[in-house]
Amino acid sequence: MDLMCDERQSDSPFVERIWRSQSEQAASFISMAESHWSIVVTRYLGRSTLTVRGPETRATPAEGHADAEFIGIQFKPGAFMPDLPAKMIMDRRDTNLPEAGDNSFWLHGSAWQFPDFENADTFVDRLVRDGSLVRDPVVENVLQGEPVETSLRTVQRRFLQATGLTHGDFYQIERARYATALLKEGVPILDTVYRTGYFDQPHLTRSLKRFIGLAPAQIIDQRRAELLSFLYKTGPF
């Protein structure tokens, strides 16, 4: 079975979802491409670590610890930390913020309590008030197909600055993850090709191998040995 997590929605305009998970045993898995960045608190061997994880532009192998607990805050496109822009932390160049105590970390010279699954929204609100988290509305406008009153070059620059990705890369990753979700739900391969807008099955296969790390037939094979990272609840992109 692929890696699983519990998730909930948030009322914050900065947050896509809040999730939590626990590993029972050490395991190798495939970390799928991801268009969003996240803050993740890991509790392992009695210590807590807060990690800022950036987007991932391709599937890569990864390792998981046994008996570890994870709390994650995944942010909406356009939200970013000015001091840790996505381009600095993407493709597994994660940043751990320094520990201040058993249950706190340092940020801008102050000790912050680690967030948990219940108070993550309050934690995000504090980040916003502190100026550590901002949002560029241009990104949301672009993704929703709304007009933007600025030049195309400026839009492209701001989209890349806020997300670490071009609009095209963002779209390709989201499409591959949605196709994976459909296949895991039992949608036939050719129907998945049609519903996600790929040219044909070979086009789908190339995309999934790059962004997910598996071909369509491997994704639907319940006997396969390879584990996939979290595939959040998703709908049409």
Side-chain angles (χ1 to χ4, degrees):
M1 179 181 292
D2 296 324
L3 303 185
M4 304 293 291
C5 68
D6 296 326
E7 61 177 277
R8 69 173 178 84
Q9 299 302 306
S10 169
D11 292 331
S12 171
F14 291 80
V15 176
E16 187 75 23
R17 58 175 54 83
I18 297 165
W19 59 267
R20 61 183 172 188
S21 181
Q22 183 171 356
S23 62
E24 296 181 355
Q25 60 186 10
S28 300
F29 63 94
I30 299 173
S31 182
M32 296 183 288
E34 173 60 75
S35 58
H36 299 68
W37 69 279
S38 301
I39 285 176
V40 179
V41 176
T42 302
R43 294 185 173 91
Y44 177 62
L45 297 179
R47 295 183 61 183
S48 296
T49 305
L50 186 139
T51 305
V52 184
R53 294 181 179 174
E56 298 179 50
T57 58
R58 61 190 181 278
T60 56
E63 299 288 336
H65 296 296
D67 299 319
E69 297 180 6
F70 307 93
I71 305 293
I73 305 170
Q74 187 185 63
F75 292 90
K76 289 185 175 181
F80 65 99
M81 299 180 75
D83 292 341
L84 286 172
K87 65 180 181 180
M88 290 179 55
I89 54 174
M90 62 192 306
D91 287 329
R92 308 285 296 278
R93 292 178 293 173
D94 304 336
T95 295
N96 294 334
L97 298 188
E99 297 179 31
D102 291 341
N103 198 39
S104 59
F105 65 96
W106 290 110
L107 179 64
H108 291 166
S110 299
W112 293 56
Q113 295 293 307
F114 289 114
D116 57 34
F117 191 69
E118 286 73 27
N119 70 11
D121 301 280
T122 302
F123 173 79
V124 170
D125 289 342
R126 185 183 174 191
L127 286 176
V128 175
R129 292 195 303 269
D130 182 65
S132 298
L133 180 65
V134 298
R135 187 164 66 101
D136 189 338
V138 164
V139 175
E140 183 177 358
N141 291 341
V142 169
L143 293 177
Q144 294 182 354
E146 298 176 354
V148 179
E149 295 181 358
T150 188
S151 69
L152 176 60
R153 184 173 181 178
T154 298
V155 169
Q156 292 171 336
R157 176 181 57 81
R158 289 172 62 173
F159 195 101
L160 183 63
Q161 179 184 28
T163 68
L165 303 167
T166 66
H167 185 202
D169 288 340
F170 189 98
Y171 170 83
Q172 295 293 342
I173 293 171
E174 286 295 292
R175 177 165 65 167
R177 291 180 68 96
Y178 180 48
T180 302
L182 293 178
L183 291 170
K184 287 167 67 70
E185 291 169 4
V187 176
I189 293 176
L190 291 180
D191 288 349
T192 298
V193 169
Y194 173 76
R195 290 175 60 173
T196 51
Y198 288 100
F199 296 125
D200 50 27
Q201 185 171 336
H203 185 203
L204 170 68
T205 298
R206 290 193 300 272
S207 176
L208 295 189
K209 283 184 175 180
R210 175 184 175 186
F211 295 118
I212 308 303
L214 297 173
Q218 293 174 297
I219 291 172
I220 63 179
D221 184 358
Q222 298 182 357
R223 300 167 299 174
R224 63 177 160 82
E226 301 91 349
L227 302 178
L228 291 175
S229 57
F230 303 135
L231 186 65
Y232 309 103
K233 298 183 179 70
T234 184
F237 50 95

